[in-house]
Amino acid sequence: MRYVRLSTIALAIIALMIGATASYAKDWPMRVWAKYRISIAGIKVGDFYFNSQRKGHQYRLEGDARLSILLGAFKWKGKTASSGIIKGAMPYPDTYEYNYRASRKKKGGVK
């Protein structure tokens, strides 16, 4: 459960940081794709994928985290997405979605 909370907090922080970056739309690239390795004490436990796209004053951000701990005994997947428009120097989200699934038993989300 601790890893689920930490991952949820990490995704929320990343989403907020991404939203702040969107305010500089003129300097923001049209597309960014990144893959991050998630490790605990040097042991890989998962990956985080990030994708952003900008078309004019519209943007879409997506994040996807996948974790597997204790040789697969605990698995967690989380996805978040946000889209909206950029007016002046501020992003205005139109949609936000967050979904997760933990070890095939527990799932949830927010839209």
Side-chain angles (χ1 to χ4, degrees):
M1 289 304 267
R2 182 178 180 193
Y3 296 113
V4 172
R5 278 187 246 136
L6 289 174
S7 298
T8 302
I9 291 168
L11 283 174
I13 290 170
I14 290 168
L16 289 173
M17 289 171 45
I18 293 166
T21 304
S23 65
Y24 301 102
K26 289 182 182 179
D27 299 327
W28 206 27
M30 297 298 283
R31 182 166 187 188
V32 174
W33 186 89
K35 177 182 175 183
Y36 296 92
R37 177 181 171 166
I38 302 170
S39 300
I40 297 176
I43 299 169
K44 181 181 176 185
V45 295
D47 294 302
F48 176 76
Y49 302 89
F50 169 75
N51 184 32
S52 72
Q53 297 176 355
R54 178 179 63 91
K55 293 180 182 176
H57 290 287
Q58 296 182 341
Y59 71 91
R60 177 152 180 86
L61 309 169
E62 298 172 337
D64 183 359
R66 299 173 191 177
L67 303 173
S68 179
I69 301 171
L70 299 173
L71 300 172
F74 177 79
K75 293 182 180 181
W76 186 88
K77 293 180 182 181
K79 290 188 176 191
T80 186
S82 178
S83 63
I85 58 172
I86 301 168
K87 291 182 183 176
M90 296 297 297
Y92 291 89
D94 290 329
T95 63
Y96 173 77
E97 185 175 342
Y98 172 71
N99 295 295
Y100 72 91
R101 182 179 203 116
S103 297
R104 290 188 230 137
K105 296 178 183 177
K106 193 176 196 180
K107 63 181 179 178
V110 175
K111 288 187 178 186

